[in-house]
Amino acid sequence: MSNPKVSDSRGDLHLNRLTKRFADFIAVDDLSLTVPRGSFFALLGPSGCGKTTTLRMIAGLEEPTQGMISIGDTDITTAKPYRRPVNTVFQNYALFPHLTIFENIAFGLRRRGVKDVKKDVDNVLELVELGHLAERKPNQLSGGQQQRIAVARAIVNKPEVLLLDEPLGALDLKLRRQMQIELKRIQMEVGITFIHVTHDQEEAMTMADTIAVMNQGKIEQMGSPAELYESPKTAFVANFLGQSNLIKGKVNSRSGANASVNIHGIDIEVPITRMASHGDSVLIGVRPEKLNINAKSKNSIGNGTVTDASFVGVSTQYLVKTSWDEELVVFEQNDAGAPDIKVGDTVSLSWEPAHTFALDGNQDLAAGADVDHEAD
Amino acid sequence: MKTTTLAPAPMPTLSHRASRWFARNLIRIYAALAFIYLFIPVAYTFAFSFNDAGKSNLIWKGFTLDNWKNPCGAPEVCSALGNSLKIGLISTILATILGTMIAFALGRYRFKGRSVINLLIFLPMATPEVVLGASLLAMFLNFRINPGMTTIIIAHVMFCISFVVVTVKARIASLDPRLEQAAMDLYANERETFRYITLPLVMPGIAGAALLSFSLSFDDFIITNFNSGTVATFPKFVYVSAARGIPAQANVIGSSMFFIALFIVVAGQIIGRRRKAR
Amino acid sequence: MAFLHATAHASAPAIDNAAKKRSLTPYFLLLPGMVWLIGFFVLPIATLASTSTMTRPDGAAVGTYVQSLRFQNYLDAFSANKDQFFRSFIYAGIATLLALAIAYPLAYMIAFKAGKMRSFLLVLVVAPFFTSFLLRTIAWTQILGDEGPVVSFLKALPFFSNDIRLTSTPFAVVSGLTYNFLPFMTLPLYASLERIDPRTLEAAGDLYANGLTTFRRVTVPLSMPGVVAGTLLTFIPAAGDYVNAYLLGNPNTRMIGNVIDSRFFAIVDYPTAAALSFTLMAAILILVTLYIRKSGTDELV
């Protein structure tokens, strides 16, 4: 039963102008991407953005309409799934219900003709800390255990690329946090390229070195979690990754390090390096935790009225209605105990210019904010 | 079943309580009666297998174990049983193989003419047995083929195929396609995926279909009667002897089949449950 | 992350896989079974159709018929046997309704109230199958027979006359049909009831539906596929059956199956038997089609 034709290509994963067209829509649209060997890469986006289709094309479960997929110098675009040095952790795990945990993990090794599977299986079971469950059947395991077995079943084959399709979606919040750390640890230990598909921005930021935010079959922006968070380049990224306050503005002048931007009659400063647009019409963005209440930061927009206050423990979240009737979200740390601001109070808002970003003004303010993060 | 008693009304009378119990358990009582109805003739058949009746097993004449000690005592009963078992076995094997192949084609592939195939599977099930039997006989007569063992098997395979297709197809449809994708992802080619994943997972459906085929074939009378010529099967033997009285040995065989089948089904369920639990 | 970049849109090899691959495998899988069904179902039905318009030439031996496209055979056959025809459908219809009335509560109980006993009770429903249905039918003839326990008991009661009989009556035939096809009714009903999430029933209760309303508005509609499948699986074989009428009935309870059987074997009148078979098949197919249309359930296969 040996299967000697599994490609032993090594190297970075390249997607080159990849397109997948279904009968009535384009799931993946001219996507190009390089994932360096050994990195933890996340494809993040709302449901239907094409991330899972991309993953399935890499796995060989879906054939691209156009474009090329290669690992190192080997073209694997049309290779059968079983000829690729790629393994997948499926959503809901797809463990074989009729095989024991041991046989589930040994499955790939046996198909490739490995004679003595015991050592490899035992090692990987130890890695996921479930050695005592080897003789059980999958349906006798908890969700978290099944998830780890699914990971073990894939990495025991030492693939070049490991694909994870919403692997934590079926777990409850607490277990999910635990598994995020666990997966990260496993990735560091085995050093395999992980490509992780998720709609959960927090999960992507916790785990990945690099995140590609996908929307409507295209990559909106790619970078480290901090880069994406601090300097989003589109309204979609600004809203999908965390929350953002976006305000329409006009550029007065660009001189020196800062540009001067007029928002609803108030001039504020934005560092030129944090402007994603060269046009005059811009969207000014500030993260809620960067907005200060009743402080004297440089970009001040005057007074507003508190319309809502929710105490969430570490911080309090306010909605403040500005003089131009836009509601801004403000997070205030509760480091000095619960603050004494109530609904109806008048407060002043301000922030530091360094915390401002500016986007192209011809975008929907709410892009990416109204998509359901939890939907699949 | 647990019955929870809410705070009872003060001092319910006995008849009150009885009628409330009755109302709550009405459906269980009804079901119990239905089961009794189902089993009366089975119990009767079993009881009369111990009848010391000689040739005609109509009236209770006394208890004996002779019929069970010598089930082949009555003339031809065992040869008829042998024929039925042989026909059942061969028909089951053929129908299960052919039907399973069709089920896989319908459940796993896209092809033209699917609706015609579906119709061809459905029609034999929607056709009364007399018509199936009569039409086959008409054809055999037309081609001057003498009815016998072969024609019975041909007929049985024909009417079992549809039931096999329906049973196995349902099982295939309930299979998570991701399991097969996972196997392919784990270096199993198409053939290995089928052998190690698909087939074992569809197996309970195939086994169920085979059991169904066997019981349909073993118990069939109408179609068999049209196409059997001089060959006697067990149901045909019973039917023919009905006029002059059925030997108690037939009751022995009928009861044995009941217990054997019950044993197989219950054992199958217990094994299935064990496997799941292991 | 300088080494990580979205590659420029350089020229990519265009692989167009839009055209769906058509494999020959399904045809190989279908071939043997379809050959069997065409050879031993379609072809026989065609032969039957052709036989139905044959006539016996004057002076020819018994059982010799030639094709003469005599469609009058149908009218002759039907008018000579219309009583048996209607009787078949009426008996089968009553038996189907009775079976539904018995099987529905039974299936409901197994699906919702049986707990751990579920699979065991299901086995019990199928179990009588395995005692030959002929033996069971004959057991009924003896249980209901003139010397049997039921009749003796009824005779002992004051309000039944002493010449009461149960066998050789329409009542016995319909009871036999009901009994024999009861599992065919119960299993599909159970299958569709079992699929209902008990929480939907609770939800209905929560939304102020009482037991009866819940049953009528929620349970029954959701179990419709089972009702359709079960009634068809009962009605079709019952309409064509002749064993119950033969063993439990009298000459006045003969059904169309008995006529077809005797035309074939006793009278050797193949054309009439064929015409009757064909009419029966057509009538049932029309009824089934209308019924399925009306109940709005297509997925039966």
Side-chain angles (χ1 to χ4, degrees):
Chain A
M1 284 302 128
S2 73
N3 201 339
K5 287 195 189 149
V6 177
S7 158
D8 57 355
S9 46
R10 296 268 171 270
D12 303 348
L13 172 75
H14 304 278
L15 308 184
N16 195 358
R17 306 203 62 177
L18 206 59
T19 299
K20 178 68 187 181
R21 221 172 284 134
F22 289 107
D24 51 346
F25 77 110
I26 299 173
V28 177
D29 189 3
D30 205 15
L31 184 95
S32 295
L33 184 68
T34 294
V35 181
R37 193 169 179 210
S39 61
F40 199 131
F41 187 90
L43 272 175
L44 173 68
S47 61
C49 73
K51 57 190 193 301
T52 295
T53 309
T54 307
L55 194 81
R56 289 173 61 83
M57 287 194 285
I58 301 170
L61 299 171
E62 208 85 70
E63 266 189 67
T65 315
Q66 248 160 23
M68 192 174 95
I69 304 168
S70 57
I71 294 178
D73 296 327
T74 317
D75 179 356
I76 59 161
T77 314
T78 54
K80 295 276 190 188
Y82 48 85
R83 298 273 158 76
R84 302 177 185 221
V86 174
N87 288 114
T88 309
V89 177
F90 286 80
Q91 202 174 6
N92 301 333
Y93 325 129
L95 297 179
F96 305 130
H98 60 304
L99 300 179
T100 60
I101 296 309
F102 186 93
E103 285 304 322
N104 260 281
I105 296 175
F107 191 89
L109 297 173
R110 292 199 199 281
R111 296 292 84 71
R112 286 188 308 162
V114 175
K115 286 278 175 317
D116 187 21
V117 298
K118 178 118 178 57
K119 206 170 141 265
D120 287 348
V121 176
D122 286 348
N123 282 343
V124 76
L125 270 172
E126 202 163 308
L127 181 71
V128 297
E129 295 164 349
L130 290 175
H132 57 293
L133 298 178
E135 289 314 311
R136 300 269 182 93
K137 288 280 178 70
N139 63 2
Q140 293 169 274
L141 268 52
S142 71
Q145 291 170 334
Q146 291 187 23
Q147 203 277 333
R148 280 189 277 177
I149 296 302
V151 173
R153 185 176 71 172
I155 59 177
V156 74
N157 302 294
K158 305 197 173 62
E160 266 301 281
V161 179
L162 183 78
L163 306 174
L164 301 111
D165 184 6
E166 304 266 9
L168 308 177
L171 305 179
D172 65 47
L173 192 66
K174 203 174 156 203
L175 201 52
R176 197 150 47 182
R177 293 274 173 276
Q178 206 180 315
M179 289 306 305
Q180 287 170 3
I181 296 162
E182 185 92 336
L183 274 178
K184 184 94 192 153
R185 173 183 71 84
I186 292 171
Q187 197 265 342
M188 289 208 229
E189 258 173 67
V190 295
I192 296 170
T193 311
F194 274 37
I195 299 186
H196 180 178
V197 154
T198 180
H199 62 255
D200 182 340
Q201 43 103 9
E202 226 179 304
E203 190 173 301
M205 290 205 276
T206 317
M207 298 165 76
D209 314 326
T210 311
I211 300 174
V213 180
M214 274 188 84
N215 184 30
Q216 297 183 335
K218 292 179 186 289
I219 291 181
E220 287 265 336
Q221 192 181 349
M222 198 160 86
S224 70
E227 247 174 84
L228 291 181
Y229 189 79
E230 297 300 338
S231 311
K233 297 276 187 280
T234 65
F236 181 87
V237 175
N239 288 323
F240 192 77
L241 229 80
Q243 276 175 285
S244 290
N245 294 301
L246 297 179
I247 307 160
K248 286 197 156 127
K250 273 253 175 311
V251 178
N252 299 324
S253 63
R254 295 169 202 257
S255 52
N258 287 333
S260 163
V261 178
N262 182 294
I263 51 169
H264 302 278
I266 304 160
D267 286 345
I268 57 152
E269 285 182 10
V270 185
I272 296 277
T273 51
R274 294 178 57 78
M275 295 187 73
S277 161
H278 297 293
D280 276 354
S281 165
V282 291
L283 289 179
I284 295 301
V286 195
R287 295 290 187 180
E289 73 279 9
K290 308 279 168 50
L291 272 173
N292 301 317
I293 287 180
N294 295 339
K296 291 272 174 289
S297 301
K298 202 164 174 202
N299 282 342
S300 171
I301 54 168
N303 288 340
T305 314
V306 177
T307 56
D308 188 69
S310 333
F311 178 76
V312 292
V314 292
S315 65
T316 305
Q317 307 187 355
Y318 299 100
L319 283 180
V320 180
K321 191 174 250 177
T322 61
S323 54
W324 61 89
D325 269 1
E326 183 176 345
E327 277 189 329
L328 301 182
V329 186
V330 186
F331 296 169
E332 286 282 278
Q333 284 293 317
N334 289 336
D335 40 14
D340 189 27
I341 300 170
K342 290 182 292 295
V343 173
D345 287 1
T346 300
V347 294
S348 73
L349 289 178
S350 61
W351 69 90
E352 291 301 327
H355 293 149
T356 324
F357 54 86
L359 312 172
D360 183 353
N362 300 316
Q363 298 181 72
D364 179 6
L365 277 179
D370 47 356
V371 292
D372 184 357
H373 279 263
E374 287 306 312
D376 179 35
Chain B
M1 282 278 96
K2 232 180 353 193
T3 42
T4 29
T5 326
L6 294 171
M11 285 292 168
T13 62
L14 193 65
S15 72
H16 230 100
R17 281 220 310 251
S19 72
R20 273 206 351 226
W21 178 89
F22 190 78
R24 201 176 297 139
N25 289 288
L26 187 62
I27 191 157
R28 289 195 187 90
I29 295 163
Y30 195 100
L33 290 174
F35 274 120
I36 291 170
Y37 174 58
L38 271 173
F39 277 91
I40 283 176
V42 180
Y44 183 92
T45 305
F46 182 58
F48 273 66
S49 71
F50 297 103
N51 191 8
D52 191 5
K55 261 199 152 183
S56 175
N57 191 7
L58 275 172
I59 305 157
W60 185 257
K61 298 234 178 81
F63 182 87
T64 178
L65 285 174
D66 289 352
N67 306 321
W68 282 86
K69 282 183 193 148
N70 189 13
C72 291
E76 280 170 43
V77 66
C78 275
S79 72
L81 175 68
N83 285 340
S84 276
L85 290 174
K86 189 171 151 196
I87 293 164
L89 210 63
I90 298 173
S91 309
T92 298
I93 291 169
L94 285 172
T96 306
I97 292 171
L98 297 181
T100 302
M101 285 166 73
I102 296 174
F104 269 104
L106 288 169
R108 275 289 177 268
Y109 292 93
R110 301 179 151 276
F111 56 89
K112 279 185 184 163
R114 172 178 291 266
S115 53
V116 178
I117 305 284
N118 275 330
L119 188 69
L120 211 51
I121 300 295
F122 175 70
L123 275 182
M125 293 192 293
T127 307
E129 285 188 64
V130 237
V131 180
L132 291 178
S135 64
L136 263 172
L137 179 60
M139 184 181 80
F140 291 140
L141 289 173
N142 220 15
F143 291 135
R144 311 207 185 287
I145 297 168
N146 280 330
M149 203 66 150
T150 317
T151 54
I152 300 176
I153 291 171
I154 285 175
H156 284 202
V157 172
M158 183 270 292
F159 72 73
C160 286
I161 284 180
S162 300
F163 288 95
V164 174
V165 174
V166 172
T167 314
V168 177
K169 210 178 100 179
R171 180 78 194 183
I172 293 173
S174 71
L175 207 64
D176 184 352
R178 274 176 298 201
L179 294 174
E180 285 162 311
Q181 292 171 3
M184 299 265 260
D185 187 65
L186 293 165
Y187 312 109
N189 60 31
E190 287 84 355
R191 216 188 60 240
E192 291 167 331
T193 302
F194 181 78
R195 180 170 159 199
Y196 294 112
I197 303 301
T198 319
L199 196 58
L201 289 173
V202 177
M203 215 46 187
I206 297 176
L211 197 65
L212 180 65
S213 291
F214 186 82
S215 51
L216 286 173
S217 163
F218 186 83
D219 207 19
D220 178 74
F221 168 69
I222 295 181
I223 297 174
T224 311
N225 194 36
F226 273 96
N227 295 289
S228 56
T230 55
V231 176
T233 63
F234 183 64
K236 199 175 154 189
F237 169 82
V238 173
Y239 188 82
V240 172
S241 5
R244 51 185 157 84
I246 298 161
Q249 276 82 359
N251 293 38
V252 172
I253 289 166
S255 304
S256 310
M257 288 303 294
F258 172 79
F259 288 117
I260 291 169
L262 203 62
F263 174 78
I264 291 174
V265 173
V266 170
Q269 276 195 351
I270 290 172
I271 290 170
R273 207 171 285 173
R274 279 256 176 82
R275 249 194 220 156
K276 244 183 208 169
R278 223 170 61 84
Chain C
M1 296 279 152
F3 51 81
L4 211 152
H5 56 96
T7 39
H9 284 186
S11 62
I15 304 149
D16 205 283
N17 296 310
K20 258 240 147 61
K21 273 192 295 183
R22 272 191 198 281
S23 138
L24 283 176
T25 319
Y27 297 103
F28 287 123
L29 289 172
L30 289 169
L31 190 70
M34 284 302 135
V35 166
W36 202 286
L37 286 181
I38 290 167
F40 304 118
F41 174 70
V42 178
L43 207 58
I45 296 287
T47 317
L48 192 71
S50 127
T51 308
S52 68
T53 53
M54 288 181 177
T55 52
R56 185 163 139 207
D58 289 332
V62 170
T64 310
Y65 292 93
V66 293
Q67 182 58 269
S68 54
L69 292 179
R70 190 173 179 276
F71 289 95
Q72 184 70 25
N73 282 356
Y74 279 87
L75 288 179
D76 294 350
F78 183 75
S79 56
N81 299 291
K82 59 175 182 301
D83 290 352
Q84 285 88 338
F85 246 110
F86 290 127
R87 195 176 292 135
S88 293
F89 284 93
I90 290 166
Y91 283 7
I94 298 173
T96 304
L97 290 179
L98 284 175
L100 184 62
I102 297 171
Y104 203 108
L106 182 62
Y108 187 93
M109 195 284 274
I110 299 175
F112 294 120
K113 311 261 173 182
K116 281 184 181 165
M117 300 277 283
R118 228 190 217 197
S119 49
F120 176 69
L121 292 182
L122 214 53
V123 172
L124 283 192
V125 171
V126 196
F129 254 137
F130 297 110
T131 314
S132 165
F133 91 99
L134 280 166
L135 280 176
R136 282 179 292 132
T137 310
I138 286 164
W140 276 124
T141 67
Q142 296 178 16
I143 295 165
L144 301 176
D146 296 344
E147 255 83 80
V150 180
V151 169
S152 310
F153 174 73
L154 291 179
K155 277 179 182 167
L157 295 176
F159 28 84
F160 286 106
S161 74
N162 261 355
D163 52 357
I164 179 175
R165 332 187 43 181
L166 290 175
T167 46
S168 307
T169 60
F171 164 78
V173 179
V174 172
S175 310
L177 290 171
T178 309
Y179 176 81
N180 268 314
F181 301 109
L182 196 56
F184 289 102
M185 180 66 92
T186 315
L187 291 181
L189 278 177
Y190 167 79
S192 67
L193 283 169
E194 184 237 33
R195 249 176 272 157
I196 300 176
D197 187 341
R199 278 172 298 185
T200 41
L201 305 186
E202 283 166 20
D206 186 55
L207 297 166
Y208 314 112
N210 63 27
L212 200 65
T213 316
T214 303
F215 180 73
R216 210 160 49 88
R217 292 293 171 108
V218 183
T219 315
V220 170
L222 285 174
S223 63
M224 242 5 230
V227 174
V228 173
T231 45
L232 288 180
L233 283 175
T234 308
F235 182 81
I236 295 168
D241 181 78
Y242 63 81
V243 173
N244 286 286
Y246 171 77
L247 292 172
L248 291 160
N250 62 43
N252 290 326
T253 61
R254 280 160 59 90
M255 293 166 69
I256 197 64
N258 302 76
V259 180
I260 295 174
D261 179 59
S262 72
R263 284 280 155 183
F264 245 104
F265 293 114
I267 308 172
V268 201
D269 177 4
Y270 300 141
T272 306
L276 289 174
S277 303
F278 221 72
T279 315
L280 175 63
M281 186 184 176
I284 285 181
L285 279 182
I286 291 168
L287 275 179
V288 166
T289 313
L290 289 178
Y291 181 57
I292 293 177
R293 282 268 168 79
K294 190 145 193 273
S295 56
T297 324
D298 331 306
E299 245 329 285
L300 274 169
V301 182

